[in-house]
Amino acid sequence: MLYLSFSNFINAQAGAIPNFTTEMIKQGSLPLKYNEAWLYHKGDNTEWAKTNIDERNWKTIAPQNLRADAMPDSLWQGFGWWRLSFTADSSFYKQISRLVFDTWGAADVYLDGQKILSYGTFSKNELNEKNHVSNYAADKFITIKPAQRHVLAVRFSNYQAKRNEVLFSKFSNNLGFTIAFATEVRGLYSDFRFANSFALLSVIASLLLLLLLLHLLLLFKFKREKSNLIISLITILFLVAIFSAHALLFFPFNGFWNALVSRLVNSTTFAAGMSLIPYALTLLFRIEKFYWVKHISWLLIVRTLNYYFVFIPVVLFDSIIILGVIFITAFLMVKALKYKTSGVHYVTFGAIGTSVFLLINRLQSAEILHLSTNFNYLDITLLYTCFPLGIYIYNTNQYGRLFNSMELEVADRTHDLNLSIENLKSTQTLLAARNAENELLLKEIHHRVKNNLDVVSSLLALQSAKMDDPNMQEAMLASQNRVQSMGILHQKLYQSEHLAFIEMKNYFQNLCENILDSYNETSRIKVNIDMSEVELDVDTAVPIGLIVNELITNSLKYAFPKGEKGNIKLSLKSKDKENFTLQLSDNGVGKLLNSQQKGTGFGTQLVSLLTKQIEGTLVEENENGTVISIHFKRQIAA
């Protein structure tokens, strides 16, 4: 419930004694702010707690909001007494059960001459004084017994207050205290004041930390977006402000340090964050011609000076700044809406909300407005979270729109991709059919080449049969074997699933059987093929087949004279996928050193030319027979 404070109480006239009624109790408490009824006397005398004493030498000075200029040095000794006389209606006694006492000093409280409560430790010695920290303390229980007249006396000690006032001016705590009677309903709130404050801090800090982490991540991902930096800075300032406002939850500060942290740091950091909000909006909505609003932060210096050298009432000055921020924010919202910026109203309403709740908070601090405890918690929560929540909702809205557009784009691209896949499948089917046709045609070509080579071989055999010259017959037979070696290769290609590669071991077996059969040497000469299965491309396999044909033919003709039996060993091995060694050896008579070349030498020349064709190297050894090794590389990569 919100109401104007100046209508709360009717100050007693000079010398008059206030009468308390239940109607005066608002929101469960009755603050004893009776400026003309409070009397003060310097010094210390426990007799001053009694009901009837001579008060003619006492000064009319109220203890609440007591500043240094209101308490002359002649009266201030660091300790003294305050007295308040009052009467009460009979119903009033049943309502009051707690005493609210707020001070940074120490005090003993007396009611009708009896000491009822102590706060801290009262002492005439500054070193022995133990101050009371009341921010989160529960209200203490009291009982007021009916009487015609009551006297509330406070024996008070606060040595540090005036020193703080001198050192810290407007941010210091007052020299005196505030005191109020409270009902049990109001007291229940005080019992959970620490827990409620901690919960309030946790909620606000959690929301601010989430927003900070979000914008730090955005700042890391999008370094050129300066708005993320400014919003992160505002969030950090708000975090410092809320933690400094609740510093007493964690640290047992005295009045001086509490004023420094919970008032100066809190006020300065929050004001700095507020001053940056318009600039953050211009960056967020890219309204470049209003970037000048960043200079609003210079008002912080004027605001701080105004606390020490008051040229405008503090509350009025803060209210003007806050109303200015609200006006600028609303103006920026209108401009952003003209640019059709999406989600602008979320951020703007959040910024205006923070400004409005800050204004309410300042008016409450100045006691122009009063909020109930629940509304005070709500005001503080909204004060710190309106702008962050507006930013969070804006980001959620923006990224939601982005994700929706991305989903639509992904759906369109998926549709296009599916069409492309269908086209590719159709193309693949067509290519597979054409490839099958090409394979069939290629096999047919190999088959026809093989048949043609067989025809050539048969013609050579017929021609050889009509010749009487043995040398000519031998030459024709050699040519026939060469043709057949190529014919066997094309037959293998025709029968193979891979039209570009030949499995060499099986090819060598067929080739050797054909050569031995053509020379009728199957029983006398044995060929041992020592190798694993190896595939070579056609361009390499053709010259290798011709080379093997020539080498085996030479061994049959010259290595085993006079009908001797013998063995020929053939191998093709690879060092790696590219380098191979073809080796053919026999256990024949070998080749004598400086011996004359036998035959025409055509076979030897052919082997040399074919070795060069495959870029190979031929090595011949003649010990215990002949060993010929050819080292070469694959002509076409598999």
Side-chain angles (χ1 to χ4, degrees):
M1 179 176 178
L2 185 149
Y3 58 97
L4 295 177
S5 62
F6 50 73
S7 64
N8 287 349
F9 312 103
I10 301 174
N11 288 343
Q13 297 179 355
I17 298 176
N19 180 62
F20 297 155
T21 65
T22 55
E23 288 76 16
M24 293 180 176
I25 302 173
K26 303 295 181 181
Q27 300 178 9
S29 69
L30 173 62
L32 304 181
K33 297 181 179 180
Y34 294 84
N35 296 336
E36 302 300 327
W38 279 102
L39 301 175
Y40 173 80
H41 200 292
K42 67 177 181 178
D44 180 37
N45 187 342
T46 55
E47 294 293 320
W48 294 340
K50 294 181 179 180
T51 304
N52 297 312
I53 63 170
D54 185 0
E55 296 179 339
R56 285 177 295 178
N57 294 326
W58 288 62
K59 304 294 181 181
T60 304
I61 301 175
Q64 66 271 4
N65 300 321
L66 184 61
R67 317 305 301 185
D69 54 359
M71 177 64 81
D73 290 338
S74 60
L75 296 178
W76 185 257
Q77 295 178 333
F79 58 90
W81 282 72
W82 267 278
R83 286 170 56 92
L84 174 67
S85 299
F86 67 92
T87 59
D89 290 351
S90 58
S91 60
F92 178 80
Y93 299 108
K94 298 178 181 179
Q95 295 289 324
I96 300 303
S97 62
R98 303 275 188 125
L99 182 70
V100 181
F101 193 85
D102 186 15
T103 182
W104 287 94
D108 293 329
V109 180
Y110 294 80
L111 182 62
D112 299 336
Q114 300 295 320
K115 181 178 178 180
I116 57 173
L117 295 171
S118 292
Y119 297 88
T121 302
F122 176 90
S123 177
K124 298 178 183 179
N125 188 333
E126 179 179 357
L127 299 178
N128 295 332
E129 177 186 288
K130 184 179 179 181
N131 291 338
H132 170 65
V133 180
S134 60
N135 282 42
Y136 299 105
D139 299 334
K140 295 185 178 182
F141 291 94
I142 63 168
T143 300
I144 305 177
K145 296 179 179 180
Q148 290 185 349
R149 176 174 172 268
H150 302 278
V151 173
L152 184 68
V154 180
R155 185 189 188 197
F156 184 73
S157 176
N158 193 349
Y159 287 93
Q160 68 167 336
K162 197 161 190 176
R163 180 172 65 251
N164 291 350
E165 185 78 22
V166 173
L167 291 175
F168 222 52
S169 187
K170 300 298 177 181
F171 286 104
S172 68
N173 292 89
N174 63 68
L175 277 68
F177 55 87
T178 58
I179 189 168
F181 292 134
T183 66
E184 186 60 23
V185 174
R186 168 66 172 76
L188 290 176
Y189 280 107
S190 74
D191 293 341
F192 299 99
R193 188 179 292 141
F194 182 93
N196 292 338
S197 298
F198 189 83
L200 177 68
L201 173 64
S202 301
V203 170
I204 296 174
S206 298
L207 290 173
L208 292 175
L209 284 172
L210 284 174
L211 183 71
L212 178 61
L213 291 174
L214 171 64
H215 279 277
L216 288 177
L217 178 61
L218 293 175
L219 179 63
F220 177 76
K221 292 292 184 181
F222 309 102
K223 295 183 176 61
R224 294 184 179 180
E225 290 292 334
K226 195 175 180 181
S227 61
N228 293 323
L229 174 63
I230 300 301
I231 293 173
S232 298
L233 180 59
I234 292 173
T235 308
I236 291 172
L237 290 170
F238 281 7
L239 275 169
V240 174
I242 189 63
F243 274 106
S244 61
H246 293 79
L248 283 176
L249 287 173
F250 309 100
F251 304 102
F253 288 142
N254 58 26
F256 176 81
W257 284 106
N258 180 69
L260 178 66
V261 175
S262 66
R263 299 187 66 185
L264 179 60
V265 174
N266 169 264
S267 177
T268 303
T269 52
F270 194 86
M274 281 292 300
S275 68
L276 289 172
I277 286 179
Y279 184 45
L281 296 182
T282 60
L283 291 172
L284 195 63
F285 304 138
R286 292 179 172 83
I287 313 176
E288 296 183 9
K289 64 180 180 180
F290 292 102
Y291 282 177
W292 57 265
V293 295
K294 63 184 177 182
H295 298 298
I296 293 176
S297 57
W298 289 103
L299 287 174
L300 286 174
I301 298 175
V302 180
R303 179 178 181 270
T304 302
L305 291 174
N306 190 58
Y307 273 103
Y308 288 92
F309 310 100
V310 180
F311 45 87
I312 299 177
V314 174
V315 175
L316 177 62
F317 188 81
D318 282 354
S319 299
I320 293 172
I321 294 176
I322 295 168
L323 291 172
V325 171
I326 293 174
F327 173 77
I328 293 172
T329 302
F331 180 75
L332 292 174
M333 180 181 71
V334 173
K335 290 294 181 182
L337 287 174
K338 286 184 178 180
Y339 298 151
K340 297 182 179 180
T341 304
S342 175
V344 61
H345 51 285
Y346 297 122
V347 182
T348 308
F349 287 147
I352 292 176
T354 290
S355 303
V356 169
F357 290 113
L358 175 61
L359 181 62
I360 292 173
N361 181 266
R362 295 300 295 127
L363 293 175
Q364 185 193 25
S365 298
E367 298 186 356
I368 297 174
L369 293 177
H370 272 271
L371 299 177
S372 66
T373 303
N374 287 334
F375 275 93
N376 182 52
Y377 283 147
L378 180 62
D379 176 69
I380 294 174
T381 303
L382 294 174
L383 167 65
Y384 283 96
T385 59
C386 267
F387 180 68
L389 282 175
I391 291 289
Y392 182 80
I393 295 172
Y394 170 79
N395 285 332
T396 303
N397 177 68
Q398 291 298 97
Y399 286 106
R401 292 168 60 88
L402 175 62
F403 290 149
N404 287 335
S405 63
M406 288 176 65
E407 285 181 355
L408 291 175
E409 185 175 354
V410 168
D412 292 339
R413 293 191 177 185
T414 302
H415 177 69
D416 294 340
L417 183 59
N418 289 332
L419 290 178
S420 299
I421 291 173
E422 290 298 326
N423 292 333
L424 286 173
K425 286 181 178 179
S426 300
T427 304
Q428 185 179 18
T429 303
L430 181 61
L431 289 174
R434 290 184 178 179
N435 186 55
E437 293 176 1
N438 291 335
E439 286 184 359
L440 183 60
L441 290 172
L442 192 55
K443 284 188 176 184
E444 183 63 25
I445 289 171
H446 284 303
H447 183 60
R448 292 190 180 188
V449 170
K450 183 259 180 189
N451 288 341
N452 290 335
L453 289 174
D454 285 344
V455 171
V456 173
S457 179
S458 298
L459 291 173
L460 290 173
L462 289 173
Q463 187 67 35
S464 175
K466 293 182 180 183
M467 291 180 179
D468 295 330
D469 188 349
N471 292 329
M472 290 300 293
Q473 288 181 344
E474 184 177 340
M476 296 298 282
L477 179 60
S479 297
Q480 183 181 352
N481 285 338
R482 292 177 186 126
V483 172
Q484 286 183 343
S485 70
M486 291 186 287
I488 293 172
L489 186 141
H490 283 283
Q491 182 181 2
K492 292 296 181 185
L493 287 172
Y494 168 72
Q495 296 172 344
S496 173
E497 294 181 358
H498 305 288
L499 298 177
F501 296 92
I502 298 293
E503 199 287 296
M504 298 304 294
K505 183 176 181 180
N506 185 262
Y507 171 61
F508 284 157
Q509 288 173 346
N510 292 137
L511 180 61
C512 292
E513 289 174 0
N514 184 73
I515 296 172
L516 291 175
D517 186 61
S518 66
Y519 282 94
N520 196 22
E521 294 289 359
T522 54
S523 60
R524 186 170 71 93
I525 306 300
K526 301 296 182 184
V527 178
N528 179 28
I529 300 175
D530 180 20
M531 59 182 286
S532 57
E533 293 184 354
V534 177
E535 286 189 344
L536 287 182
D537 56 273
V538 175
D539 291 339
T540 307
V542 170
I544 290 295
L546 291 172
I547 289 172
V548 170
N549 179 80
E550 295 302 322
L551 294 178
I552 291 178
T553 300
N554 282 345
S555 292
L556 293 177
K557 290 168 61 176
Y558 306 116
F560 308 103
K562 301 177 183 180
E564 295 178 2
K565 293 183 178 182
N567 293 314
I568 298 173
K569 184 177 180 181
L570 175 64
S571 67
L572 177 62
K573 297 183 179 180
S574 60
K575 296 180 180 178
D576 49 48
K577 293 183 179 180
E578 301 298 325
N579 295 288
F580 295 86
T581 299
L582 174 68
Q583 189 175 80
L584 188 141
S585 62
D586 60 53
N587 59 351
V589 296
K591 186 177 180 181
L592 299 176
L593 187 63
N594 298 325
S595 62
Q596 293 183 353
Q597 181 175 295
K598 298 178 182 180
T600 63
F602 176 76
T604 302
Q605 292 178 4
L606 183 58
V607 170
S608 178
L609 289 172
L610 292 171
T611 301
K612 289 181 181 179
Q613 180 181 331
I614 61 174
E615 299 179 358
T617 304
L618 189 147
V619 179
E620 182 178 352
E621 299 176 7
N622 292 284
E623 291 183 7
N624 299 321
T626 301
V627 179
I628 296 177
S629 301
I630 298 176
H631 306 285
F632 66 95
K633 290 185 177 180
R634 189 189 298 271
Q635 298 300 293
I636 299 177

